[in-house]
């Protein structure tokens, strides 16, 4: 009878070990998944930052709207550049006595805003707006 109880104890110990290994594998899988997602986000952000630095040094007339491919660390990214003209002069209002007063910002009437979007092969993207030299 002693040998049978020893076998049951060994089986229970194996079941406990298998459960603990399974729990550890699920936790490490989730950790690795988040790590790969963060790595992809960092790579996208690096490419976006490089493209924005290029655009900030250019004159407005030198910036061309369009889409192009960029290779970064052996991976291919798509960079989409779009130029839009924004009029901010009417967005600044004040009402000191309950009566709205529109401020005159003649320098903000027509500003070129460049939207830069970087997309990877899996469809993930980061996007920002840049105001280059006017």
């Amino acid at each position: 009878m002693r040998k049978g109880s020893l076998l049951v104890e060994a089986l229970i110990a194996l079941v406990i070990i298998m459960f603990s290994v399974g729990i550890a594998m699920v936790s490490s899988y989730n950790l690795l998944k988040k790590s790969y997602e963060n790595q992809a986000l960092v790579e996208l952000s690096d490419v976006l930052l490089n493209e924005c630095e290029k655009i900030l040094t250019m004159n407005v007339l030198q910036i061309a709207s369009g889409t192009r491919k960029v290779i970064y660390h052996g991976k291919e990214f798509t960079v989409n550049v779009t130029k839009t003209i924004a009029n901010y002069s009417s967005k600044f209002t004040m009402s000191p006595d309950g009566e709205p007063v529109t401020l005159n910002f003649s320098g903000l009437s027509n500003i070129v805003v460049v939207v830069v979007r970087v997309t990877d092969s899996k469809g993930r993207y980061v996007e920002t707006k840049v105001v280059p030299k006017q």
Side-chain angles (χ1 to χ4, degrees):
M1 187 115 162
R2 181 80 175 127
K3 290 182 183 180
S5 65
L6 185 61
L7 182 62
V8 170
E9 289 175 6
L11 289 174
I12 291 174
L14 282 175
V15 168
I16 291 171
I17 290 171
M18 288 189 326
F19 278 134
S20 63
V21 168
I23 291 171
M25 287 180 65
V26 168
S27 299
S28 62
Y29 171 76
N30 288 337
L31 185 61
L32 281 174
K33 182 179 172 186
K34 287 295 182 186
S35 175
Y36 286 131
E37 289 174 1
N38 289 340
Q39 178 186 2
L41 184 61
V42 166
E43 288 176 347
L44 284 167
S45 298
D46 282 345
V47 174
L48 181 69
L49 181 64
N50 290 340
E51 294 300 317
C52 289
E53 284 179 357
K54 290 177 191 175
I55 289 173
L56 283 174
T57 59
M58 293 180 180
N59 194 355
V60 174
L61 299 174
Q62 297 171 331
I63 300 169
S65 296
T67 303
R68 66 179 186 279
K69 303 283 184 183
V70 174
I71 304 292
Y72 182 75
H73 289 299
K75 296 179 183 174
E76 188 175 272
F77 297 94
T78 304
V79 178
N80 186 8
V81 177
T82 308
K83 284 175 33 175
T84 58
I85 297 176
N87 187 350
Y88 289 107
S89 64
S90 63
K91 295 192 179 191
F92 294 98
T93 57
M94 286 183 8
S95 56
D97 298 328
E99 185 176 317
V101 176
T102 302
L103 300 175
N104 185 9
F105 290 108
S106 60
L108 295 176
S109 61
N110 289 326
I111 294 180
V112 176
V113 177
V114 179
V115 179
V116 182
R117 176 184 276 203
V118 178
T119 309
D120 67 356
S121 60
K122 294 183 179 177
R124 297 176 290 208
Y125 69 91
V126 290
E127 180 179 271
T128 190
K129 293 180 180 179
V130 179
V131 179
K133 290 190 275 185
Q134 302 293 313

